[in-house]
Amino acid sequence: MSPVDSPIPYYPVNDFGPLMKGLVIGGVGIVHVFLAQFAIGGGMLMWYLERRGQRGHQDARTFVDGYFRILVLVSFVVGALTGVAMWFTTIQVGARTIGLMIDEFHWLWATEWVWFAVEITAGYAFYRYGPRLGGRARLRLLAVYALASWLSLFWINGILSWQLTPGRWLDGGGVWAGFFNASFWPSLIFRTAVSTTLGALAGCIVINTMDLPRDRKAALLRHAARFAAPIAVMPVIALWFFAVLPADSRSWLLGGSMPMTMFVGVAAGASLLIGGYVIVGLLLKRLYINGATATLLLALAFGATAAGEFVREGARKPYTVRGALYSTSIRPEEVAALRELGATAGDPYPLTTTYPTEQLARGAKVERALCDACHTMHGANALVELTRTWTDDQLRLNLAKLQHTKGFMPPFAGNAEDVEALVQLLRYERDDGAAPPAMSAAAATPETLAQIARWLDEAGTQPAGAVK
Amino acid sequence: MWPFDGSLASLWLVLYLASFALHAVFVGYVAAGTVYALVAAIRRSADPVAAQVRDWLPFMLGAGITAGVGPLLFIQLLYQRRFYTANLLMGPRWGAVVPALIIGFYALYLAKASERWRRLALGTGALCFGFVAWSWTELHQVMLEDRTWRAMYASGARFHLELAVVPRLAIWLGAMLALFATVAAWSAAPAGRRRLSGLGLAGLIISGLTAAGTIVVSRDFDPAHGWTYVLALAAIAAAVGWGFAARRPDGRGLSLATAATAAALVAGAVVREAPRLALIERSRATADHTGGLVVFAVTLVIGVATIAWIVRTVRRAPG
């Protein structure tokens, strides 16, 4: 059967070496989100300062014409291209996930594309013709640019938040039930606040590079700093976001998974520092912010964005689309069939590495199908290290009852032979391939396989947490 | 009318082809324009067309990338498994198109801003865009050849070095020259327009001869329900238009060449798609029943109107 025709889509899997796939997509995603949000906030800031400029604040006008070139050269180009890179990277990491997102939301994605096209057109028009245009046309162009970029966020936000809280969409509520999901509004407001803050901080850096006396810079800085004020509402919005999260996701973030909790702490701590400086220092005390401090705050904002995106991705576990698709690119309803058939029965792609036994080769295929999306063998989030000290039976038990071993893991989507093959592969890899006798017949006696099968049955095929 | 019917997949196909044609106009301008500007820079000629092209190239690339999101979206609906599989088989080497585009983009800005670095920047840009064009052509071929997927994956090969890629690229090269000449000629002075007429004609000849040669060698002619004939007639009309434009740059030759090139572009998009229409995945239950079409249609109208307003506004700008 051609790979195109199999009932469950199987895709070739690429090895990224010691890099966990999540790190690859995370790296691209964080840069993209940061730049895209900066472009939105920057657009709003420019509209505001253009308005000030037309009411007599000449420096505001000078700022707009200088700042916009930086915005165009950085955020348009790298932002737009990292958007395309996100698409390609997502295909590399989870082709079935992006496929489901496209299937479900293609018209809304196309809607987002139209606004993106308007944003780019308005942006370039201002970049190229802005200095020659009259005040009214300038203001309108900037308004179109800011509105279109925010609407682009509006549409993509619904698709991304759906992954985490699809809600009534799971009951057949349709595309709008999925789009206006529980985390849609807190995410949108949060991202809008982040956008204006990034725009303001970048604006403060640019103002410090302008050839102006200090008092005129200070006046301009005060105007720009107002755009960071929405950071004050972020704690409330963050609490709202936490409140609408599924209970198990919330528990990972609030102590259930220390790495995730630490990232929550980093995001909250960095945001608190920025917010404190902006609210107390810039807005209340009217302090002068120099370029170095503004750069430091922007770097902190990047750290907060990175941590926040990690939290958002991590909170989805064990799904990429909650209730619909596991991080292994297997649908929940397919697990039972794979328990019967085996995890790799339909996998048409050969291995690219040779192994001394068939069982090890099967283990490698199982690892590729069920583990590779989030783990490596020896690099980041390494399977060998996570299981190094477990006894053989403990390893069998923990894999067979995977969703109970760790609540953010999906149920094992294979049969007893698959579990045993994976166990033997992990031991083989742990011992640097030096102990093939571990794969002897004794390691997979009928009694062992029967025990694994019992454990699989006890674990069931449902995830550990509630679906919604 | 073939290949369109009343199905939803047909609507995706229409949008795919329309957005692809728009994308082709911009990327054709960028790829051929970069080479044109590079040649002018190497020859150190004070060519006003080259100066204008350098000025517009960064915008055109931005527009090309933006327009490219449309076909990238719709191809995932039409040929999802094939597209994803080809992406994955080509792996990180496929992902290299993004850094290539970023480098190419900044190279175009550098070429615009610095006379000292112009030749190097344009050369770098031309290499980057050539790499991207070649990668897309390879990807297209990999998508079609599912029988080779297992072997390609097993071997770890990231390149699909097949002879079919060469004529495909050559046809594209010709089409890009023709598209570039068509767009650039409208803002060129008579002398430049004459030169661009020759370039447009050369592009049509390259595409036509390569296509004819491929048909003769492969002995495989697909009339695509008449679209191939439409393409041939439109290309001939465009050639006639370029002939007139070369003789009288201020005459109606350019209008004829433009209209005929537009027709050839649409027909060419259909002819290009014809061999893989049978591969469209038609049983996409989730995609078939989803909503949002009305929102998209309304947004598209608003978006087009807004862009038209922007264009009108900047055209009125003094100077």
Side-chain angles (χ1 to χ4, degrees), chain A residues 408-431:
Chain A
F408 51 72
M409 296 294 287
F412 191 88
N415 56 27
E417 285 79 7
D418 289 333
V419 172
E420 185 59 23
L422 185 54
V423 166
Q424 297 305 332
L425 178 76
L426 292 174
R427 289 301 179 238
Y428 174 75
E429 292 287 347
R430 182 192 65 180
D431 301 332

Side-chain angles (χ1 to χ4, degrees), chain B residues 15-188:
Chain B
L15 290 166
Y16 170 70
L17 293 174
S19 54
F20 177 78
L22 183 66
H23 171 65
V25 172
F26 291 121
V27 297
Y29 186 98
V30 171
T34 304
V35 175
Y36 183 93
L38 175 64
V39 172
I42 290 170
R43 294 168 64 187
R44 297 182 189 279
S45 69
D47 180 353
V49 173
Q52 191 163 46
V53 167
R54 279 197 310 271
D55 190 33
W56 277 100
L57 276 174
F59 167 75
M60 286 300 208
L61 181 55
I65 291 164
T66 306
V69 173
L72 185 58
L73 172 66
F74 291 109
I75 198 173
Q76 293 178 68
L77 286 161
L78 294 167
Y79 310 104
Q80 190 169 102
R81 289 202 195 185
R82 287 177 184 275
F83 182 69
Y84 291 166
T85 304
N87 269 252
L88 286 156
L89 286 171
M90 290 171 70
R93 163 256 184 289
W94 167 245
V97 300
V98 174
L101 283 171
I102 292 175
I103 293 167
F105 209 113
Y106 286 111
L108 294 183
Y109 272 110
L110 183 62
K112 184 175 168 177
S114 163
E115 193 171 344
R116 186 181 168 200
W117 296 101
R118 185 160 294 155
R119 279 174 290 174
L120 179 63
L122 288 168
T124 305
L127 278 177
C128 289
F129 304 138
F131 172 76
V132 174
W134 171 48
S135 300
W136 272 109
T137 308
E138 263 193 292
L139 187 90
H140 185 101
Q141 288 300 123
V142 175
M143 278 177 70
L144 298 177
E145 295 168 13
D146 48 317
R147 283 176 302 175
T148 67
W149 288 354
R150 287 187 187 91
M152 188 174 174
Y153 180 72
S155 70
R158 299 302 189 186
F159 294 91
H160 188 69
L161 302 172
E162 201 196 65
L163 206 59
V165 171
V166 178
R168 220 183 158 78
L169 259 178
I171 290 170
W172 263 114
L173 173 69
M176 284 170 167
L177 285 173
L179 288 168
F180 163 70
T182 307
V183 177
W186 279 100
S187 52

